[in-house]
Structure formats: C-alpha cells, structure tokens
Amino acid sequence: QVQLVESGGGLVQPGGSLRLSCAASGSIFSMYTMGWYRQAPGKQRELVASVTSGGSTNYADSVKGRFTISRDNAKNTVVLQMNSLKPEDTAVYYCNAEHILRTLRPSANYWGQGTQVTVSS
C-alpha cells in the first residue's frame, strides 16, 4: 500500500514556473517507478513524465525541454519542475506510483488526489 500526496499547484502566468511535489508513504519508495500525469477538462489522462528507480526519465513530447522530473529516495518524494508554462498545460496533475515488478505486481499501482495547475493571464 502506497499513499501519495501532491502539492505545489496553483495559478501562474504563461512563461512562469511551478514546482510540484509528491510525498509517498506506506511502502518502500525505491521499489516504484514514479510518474506525473495530467488531465484537462474533456480530455483523457496523459503521462507527463516518469522516473524509474534507477533514474531513467521519460517525457511527453509536449513538455520536453520545459519540465524536469526528479526523485529523492531518501525523502520519499518526487518533484516535477515546470518551466515556460503554457495555457495548454492547464490541468489537474496526478502523482502515480507503479511497482517496478509490473508484471508480477499488477495491482501495485497508486494515485494521488491531484493538484490543480492553471496557466492564464
């Protein structure tokens, strides 16, 4: 069992920056691939960025060069640094934890409650 709590969302002007944090508890943090997803009104939830326990990262094409995901296993946190924000980045952002043994632990997939990010003038 993993509990995830997101923080850092808010209202920012285009071109601005936000730093989202996700705090995990209840299990061994290093055993999970961590990711950030987002869902805008009327759209499907999409992967924004992910980072494996080994530090490998993956980004959606729409955020490459602007967003950076990182993790601190000692503090059980994952951070999404968002720069050069655009109005189309507006969405609810969700933290996700997926067990590294994906095929052996398919039920070990957890979500936070989400944090709102609004990019507007």
Side-chain angles (χ1 to χ4, degrees):
Q1 181 73 17
V2 175
Q3 294 80 46
L4 304 173
V5 180
E6 303 100 332
S7 62
L11 175 64
V12 66
Q13 295 183 350
S17 298
L18 282 175
R19 184 180 177 89
L20 304 183
S21 295
C22 175
S25 63
S27 191
I28 303 175
F29 183 71
S30 61
M31 293 293 99
Y32 291 83
T33 294
M34 303 300 298
W36 285 97
Y37 290 71
R38 67 186 181 189
Q39 187 166 25
K43 292 188 175 182
Q44 297 185 86
R45 188 172 299 186
E46 64 175 345
L47 175 67
V48 177
S50 65
V51 56
T52 69
S53 60
S56 297
T57 58
N58 184 49
Y59 297 92
D61 288 341
S62 60
V63 306
K64 286 181 179 178
R66 300 189 297 122
F67 292 9
T68 302
I69 189 170
S70 61
R71 67 190 295 161
D72 187 335
N73 290 338
K75 297 182 178 180
N76 287 9
T77 59
V78 60
V79 168
L80 184 67
Q81 178 65 47
M82 306 186 295
N83 299 324
S84 302
L85 284 161
K86 304 174 181 179
E88 50 263 45
D89 295 319
T90 296
V92 177
Y93 284 70
Y94 297 90
C95 183
N96 170 259
E98 181 181 68
H99 201 280
I100 58 173
L101 301 178
R102 180 177 179 179
T103 58
L104 298 179
R105 298 287 186 273
S107 63
N109 193 315
Y110 305 94
W111 297 90
Q113 292 294 104
T115 185
Q116 177 70 48
V117 172
T118 302
V119 185
S120 176
S121 298

